[in-house]
């Protein structure tokens, strides 16, 4: 490995007790930071806070494609997509209630309100996708309809 080559360039064995201890310490720290990122993702962690924790884990030697970090991203992306869908459903309900109220009171439907709500939904979808949420996510797909 690269580490073995690096250590051998100093005339040391990668099995040297101090190096083994340091490597174990790095592994412990890496696992701690990945667990912290996963815990934060499962609770109310933000995209930024989980990414920062994951970045520290990677700096400690974790592979960014490790199962825990992948799970962090999946949890966050699903949360973001579910929020987009919930907001889209609220906008749809708001639009339907306003239209019903306007039709009842004035006999006319509001002009442009549905377009404004759709624009807000499209912007939220675009924002989520720009943060890494796959556009194939089922909540994102439902929000587009």
């Amino acid at each position: 490995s690269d580490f073995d080559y690096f250590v051998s360039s100093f005339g040391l064995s990668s099995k040297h007790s101090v190096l083994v201890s340091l490597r174990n310490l790095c592994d412990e720290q890496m696992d701690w930071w990945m667990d912290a990122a996963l815990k934060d993702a499962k609770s109310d962690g933000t995209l930024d806070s989980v990414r920062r924790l994951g970045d520290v884990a990677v700096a400690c030697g974790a592979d960014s494609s490790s199962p825990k970090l992948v799970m962090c991203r999946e949890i966050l992306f699903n949360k973001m997509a579910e929020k987009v869908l919930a907001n889209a459903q609220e906008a749809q309900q708001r639009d339907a209630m306003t239209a019903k109220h306007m039709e009842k009171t004035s006999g006319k439907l509001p002009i442009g309100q549905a377009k404004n709500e759709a624009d807000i939904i499209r912007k939220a979808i675009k924002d989520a996708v720009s943060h890494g949420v796959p556009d194939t996510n089922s909540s994102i797909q439902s929000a587009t309809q």
Side-chain angles (χ1 to χ4, degrees):
S1 75
D2 291 338
F3 180 75
D4 292 339
Y5 176 76
F6 173 74
V7 170
S8 70
S9 71
F10 294 100
L12 295 172
S13 165
S14 62
K15 306 284 188 240
H16 190 284
S17 64
V18 173
L19 294 176
V20 170
S21 294
L22 285 173
R23 185 173 243 173
N24 290 339
L25 180 61
C26 286
D27 288 346
E28 288 173 21
Q29 292 300 309
M30 174 184 64
D31 286 339
W32 189 92
W33 286 105
M34 284 192 299
D35 289 341
L38 190 55
K39 181 180 177 183
D40 198 38
K42 288 180 177 179
S43 64
D44 292 330
T46 64
L47 180 64
D48 289 335
S49 68
V50 174
R51 279 192 176 161
R52 282 192 300 268
L53 292 168
D55 287 347
V56 174
V58 170
C60 289
D63 185 341
S64 62
S65 62
S66 73
K68 287 181 182 179
L69 295 179
V70 169
M71 189 181 303
C72 286
R73 285 190 293 275
E74 288 175 2
I75 290 168
L76 286 175
F77 292 163
N78 284 334
K79 282 183 181 182
M80 290 176 69
E82 288 166 6
K83 184 176 181 179
V84 168
L85 177 58
N87 289 343
Q89 290 169 336
E90 288 174 14
Q92 188 178 33
Q93 290 172 349
R94 200 171 38 248
D95 181 55
M97 288 174 43
T98 301
K100 186 176 180 180
H101 175 73
M102 292 296 290
E103 190 173 25
K104 187 184 265 187
T105 58
S106 69
K108 299 178 183 175
L109 293 174
I111 297 174
Q113 180 178 337
K115 181 191 177 307
N116 292 340
E117 296 288 356
D119 288 345
I120 291 169
I121 294 166
R122 277 192 288 277
K123 183 181 181 308
I125 292 169
K126 184 177 179 182
D127 185 51
V129 170
S130 76
H131 281 93
V133 177
D135 58 4
T136 57
N137 179 288
S138 61
S139 294
I140 293 292
Q141 289 294 310
S142 294
T144 61
Q145 299 172 354

